[in-house]
Amino acid sequence: MKYNDYYWDELPMEAKSAATNLGYTQELWDSNQESSCCKEEWDELNNVQQDAATLLGYNQKMWDNMTMYRLNLRFSVLCFLLGSIFYFKLSFLDLVWMKYVRDHVPESLADEEDDEIWSQWAAEHNAADMLEVRDDYYEQYGLFHMLGVTAFAVMGFSEVCRECSRANLILLAAGLAGMAGAFSSTDQIAAYWSCASVHFFLMSCYNLDSKIFKAGCILECMLSYFLLAGYTGLWIAYADMIASLLWLYCALQEVSAVCEFRSSFGKNGSSTHLEIFIEMMYSLINVPTFKMKRA
């Protein structure tokens, strides 16, 4: 619903009037409960109620399938949250690896991806443990990457099933491009697919009000250009983590708005979101990544 994340006192006058025409009161609205009109079919609503429902973001299909629509929406938001969590963990894992490897291997080797060169260096410096750490890192990176792209692809498919709009089709394309990158045979091809994916995400949110999500998409697009150009470094890892944090915070806001957490958060919702966000970040960061060893 268009004003799902608004409290009654925050609704514009026309939206509040439309909600009143549909039988909502402040108590029902703020507790995320349905009014009596929600039990009626679209054709059973009078013209005033249909106009009110339209203003609030409904059409006949959405209204008549309200239960399935809401379940589908909640599932999509859950996928958004899971995908954002996996990508944040991915960016954190990448940052930890880059800092670790720069403390244990020569700078010329830090950005090297050839397994034979790593094996040769490890043999010359008696650093077999470093290869184990590297293998552990790539294994976990592949896992979180696959989980993340799958969550976003499923989210796009769910959104298209809910409403086959241009924005949702672009969202599905973004998820599929991400999956194509995960299955790519080379890092260069994966970078191209990743670049396409983040641009699709940016295109899909052109009519959204979330400046946080747009900022995350723009940052990811800029980073994709640097990665395609061959740039590496800790600053890219830090920037990627910032982008993933923006997405994750946006996902948390969507969850609180759609999944009926609003009433339990209370009126001071924004500060509570921040507290929950900080606790989530602390928990995620303290999940063990790859097992570090002294080379």
Side-chain angles (χ1 to χ4, degrees), residues 37-50 53 59-65:
C37 287
C38 295
K39 301 177 182 178
E40 300 180 5
E41 298 292 328
W42 181 269
D43 292 335
E44 296 174 343
L45 301 176
N46 59 41
N47 292 335
V48 173
Q49 291 170 334
Q50 288 182 0
N59 55 37
Q60 183 173 0
K61 180 181 179 181
M62 293 162 56
W63 185 271
D64 289 340
N65 297 280

Side-chain angles (χ1 to χ4, degrees), residues 1 3-7 32 73 77-78 80-81 84 208-214 245-262 265 268-277 280:
M1 192 160 55
Y3 297 100
N4 197 67
D5 56 345
Y6 286 68
Y7 285 99
N32 224 353
L73 180 61
V77 171
L78 176 61
F80 181 29
L81 177 62
S84 299
L208 296 181
D209 294 331
S210 177
K211 296 180 180 179
I212 295 177
F213 186 68
K214 290 179 180 178
L245 284 173
L246 293 175
W247 283 38
L248 185 53
Y249 186 76
C250 181
L252 181 62
Q253 287 183 316
E254 289 296 312
V255 169
S256 67
V258 172
C259 295
E260 298 187 4
F261 295 159
R262 183 176 62 189
F265 282 159
N268 192 19
S270 58
S271 60
T272 307
H273 291 164
L274 182 59
E275 293 171 2
I276 296 175
F277 178 71
M280 183 182 293

